[in-house]
Structure formats: structure tokens, C-alpha cells
Amino acid sequence: MPHITTTRRLLLGGGAALALPALSAFAQAFPDRPIRLIIGFPPGGSNDVTARILQPRLQELLGQPIVIENRPGANATLAADYVQKSPPDGYTLYLASSSPLVIAPHTNRNINYNAGTDFAAVATVAATPSVLAVGPASRAHTVQEFIAEARRGPVNIASSGAGGLAHLAIEILRREISPNITHVPYRGGGPAATDTMAGNVQGVIVDLAAIYGLIKDGKLRALAVMSDRRSPLLPDVPTFTEVGVPGVVAVNWVAIVAPLRTPEPILQRLYTAFTDVAKAPETRERFAAVGLETMTMASPAATQAFLRSEWDKWGAVARSSGARADE
């Protein structure tokens, strides 16, 4: 190791000491200009709707405009890559769900980021369970009847696309219930739901938020939610655990991440704002109207640990099932 003189040590130590107040002052001044919230999907989707529900109150708390910027493409992974390469100053954030953050990198070999290590976690704000639903003409009126049908013979289940959360949820069903289940990918939850209503497939698995209106209107019949407890939005619909299949859990969530090396005081400032807004009664009410529930963590560190656990969980499902999005 090169020799360092006493004078140089003093200079280096003084520089480090001076940097701490500078960082603190920088964080206290944050934000002093608009913050961009990047969405990887076009306007109108659940991520975009979530951002627009949060936006007004966030602007009040942070004292700066929150600019929602839609950058769709490649199942929202282009937006993730963009944010990853942005300056780590807290002014460019990514609002994303589980598929682009912790699933797509396991099912698409062209993606080279790790949500557990390549971003600085800010907060989670909302969640929505995956739901198994059938069309009005389906003979299955309970999840038990659907399971029995799948064990007797072939059953087709639609999803919003290959390699995402719904696809892996179907792979969990194949593992836990019956290999007779076949995944049928569509280009989005809308076409998948439409074909299910028409009886062209026997069922569909998508986020509750994507089909909540269709369920309320009686156009789809929800048989089970894929979470560890019943959804307050569908209190009469059981979980798979209740019918003896506890391994079937697939919950989508919405999280905010920043570029790696964003200063901790800035992450904490953002965490507090996003969490306070997500917990507000008016936010909960607006979330419920579109099939979402508030979901928050205890800190940015807890959010980071959650992302790592989700990364590990869905990576294991992708490897065991062989599910791919790039084939």
C-alpha cells in the first residue's frame, strides 16, 4: 500500500468531514426542481393510473411538480434501463410493477439488470393479487370445480403475455394443481379477458386491477385470488390456500426505485413522501376504485430487502418452469 504522509491524511480526513455537511445540506434542499416519474407503459395502464393517483398529493408534500413520463417498450424494461443509467440525484425515478423489475430479467436473456442490486429502492405503494377468473358460460362456479376439471383433462388459461407475472402464476398452477393446464399468452390483459368472456379459453389469470370492472359487471366470474389472504375488494372470493393449495401466491405490486448510489437522505425524503401519500385515506379510496390496495414497507432498506426476496422467488419459478419471454 503506498505511504500516505500525515499532512495528506489530515487533508483527506478534512475533505471527508467537509463532504458530510455538504451532503446534508444538499439533501435538505432536495427537491429544488421538478421530479420525473418514469412509467414503462402507455397512459391508461395500472402503473400509469397509480402514478396519477399519487401525483397531486406528492406535489404538495415535496413542493415541486411531479412530471409523469411514459416511456413504453419491451414490457417496461426500456424504462428500467433508462432510469438505471440516469444521474443518481433523486430527480429521475422509476415507478414499476413486479414483471419488469423482478421477473423479466429471469425470462428474457436480453435484459441485464438486477432489481435487487442495480437500483436504489425508495418505496412500495400498492399491490393487487393475481386472480383466476372464468367467463359467464363456464361450468366451473367454484375454484374447486375448476381444479377438478383441470385434473380430469386439458384446460387452457390465458395470460397478458409470455414471461410476465401471470405466465409464472400459471406455471405455479401447473406445478401445484395439474400439468393438464396450458398457458395461452395474449398481447395484453384486455385481449386475454375478451377471449375468456367469449369462451375461447377456459380461464384467465391477470392482476385484479386489470379485470376488476369486468368482475363487478358480471362479465367475468372470479374463482380465486392468488394471495395469502382474501382481497377486501373481493371478500367473497377465496384464496387458493383456503381450498388446500397454499403454494399458489402471485401478487403484483408497484414500487418506486432510483438509480444506484442515490444519497440515502434523498431516498429517505422520497420514501417518506411516497409512503405518506399511499397511506392517506383518499389514496386508499382511489386505489380501491381501480382494484388496488395500499402496500408500504418500513423503510427504503426494507423495500430493498423485499425486492431481493421477490427477485429470488420469481427467479426460482422461472428456472424450474423454463418460462421464457424471448422465444
Side-chain angles (χ1 to χ4, degrees):
M1 179 175 179
H3 178 71
I4 301 177
T5 65
T6 301
T7 302
R8 188 179 175 197
R9 287 193 191 97
L10 291 172
L11 288 172
L12 288 173
L18 288 172
L20 291 175
L23 179 59
S24 176
F26 175 63
Q28 289 175 5
F30 175 88
D32 61 6
R33 62 181 187 271
I35 295 172
R36 292 190 301 154
L37 196 55
I38 308 300
I39 313 294
F41 297 101
S46 58
N47 287 11
D48 181 75
V49 168
T50 301
R52 295 181 193 281
I53 289 174
L54 299 172
Q55 182 186 37
R57 183 66 180 137
L58 275 175
Q59 293 180 149
E60 292 178 14
L61 288 182
L62 292 171
Q64 291 292 334
I66 303 296
V67 180
I68 296 173
E69 188 173 317
N70 299 90
R71 285 179 166 260
N75 194 28
T77 59
L78 294 182
D81 190 59
Y82 173 80
V83 172
Q84 183 189 13
K85 295 173 180 175
S86 296
D89 55 11
Y91 289 99
T92 303
L93 306 174
Y94 183 37
L95 183 147
S97 48
S98 57
S99 285
L101 275 179
V102 302
I103 294 177
H106 295 295
T107 59
N108 188 331
R109 62 177 58 89
N110 298 317
I111 297 170
N112 58 6
Y113 59 78
N114 182 327
T117 59
D118 295 344
F119 292 93
V122 175
T124 58
V125 291
T128 181
S130 296
V131 178
L132 170 64
V134 296
S138 172
R139 292 174 296 181
H141 288 265
T142 67
V143 65
Q144 293 94 329
E145 291 175 350
F146 190 91
I147 291 171
E149 184 179 346
R151 288 173 174 166
R152 284 194 301 267
V155 168
N156 294 330
I157 301 181
S159 84
S160 54
L165 177 65
H167 180 181
L168 294 192
I170 292 170
E171 295 298 335
I172 292 176
L173 280 189
R174 283 175 47 81
R175 181 189 72 196
E176 300 292 331
I177 292 174
S178 171
N180 294 329
I181 293 171
T182 298
H183 169 231
V184 182
Y186 283 77
R187 296 180 67 86
T194 298
D195 256 18
T196 304
M197 289 186 287
N200 296 326
V201 289
Q202 283 100 328
V204 60
I205 288 180
V206 287
D207 298 346
L208 172 57
I211 57 172
Y212 184 50
L214 296 174
I215 293 170
K216 287 198 302 181
D217 292 342
K219 296 178 180 178
L220 285 174
R221 184 162 60 248
L223 299 184
V225 293
M226 303 178 79
S227 57
D228 55 6
R229 61 179 177 82
R230 292 195 182 199
S231 168
L233 305 178
L234 297 176
D236 298 327
V237 178
T239 68
F240 277 94
T241 300
E242 292 178 62
V243 298
V245 194
V248 182
V249 176
V251 176
N252 198 7
W253 38 260
V254 178
I256 294 88
V257 298
L260 198 63
R261 293 182 292 279
T262 299
E264 289 295 330
I266 289 177
L267 294 177
Q268 186 62 47
R269 174 87 166 100
L270 291 167
Y271 163 82
T272 300
F274 275 99
T275 301
D276 286 353
V277 173
K279 287 181 174 180
E282 60 269 26
T283 303
R284 293 180 184 273
E285 184 176 343
R286 293 189 66 189
F287 276 173
V290 294
L292 294 167
E293 300 174 47
T294 291
M295 172 183 167
T296 60
M297 298 287 161
S299 65
T303 307
Q304 194 81 53
F306 171 75
L307 291 180
R308 286 179 179 142
S309 69
E310 288 286 282
W311 175 274
D312 292 341
K313 169 187 173 178
W314 292 112
V317 174
R319 288 189 297 272
S320 65
S321 66
R324 304 297 306 174
D326 53 0
E327 295 179 350

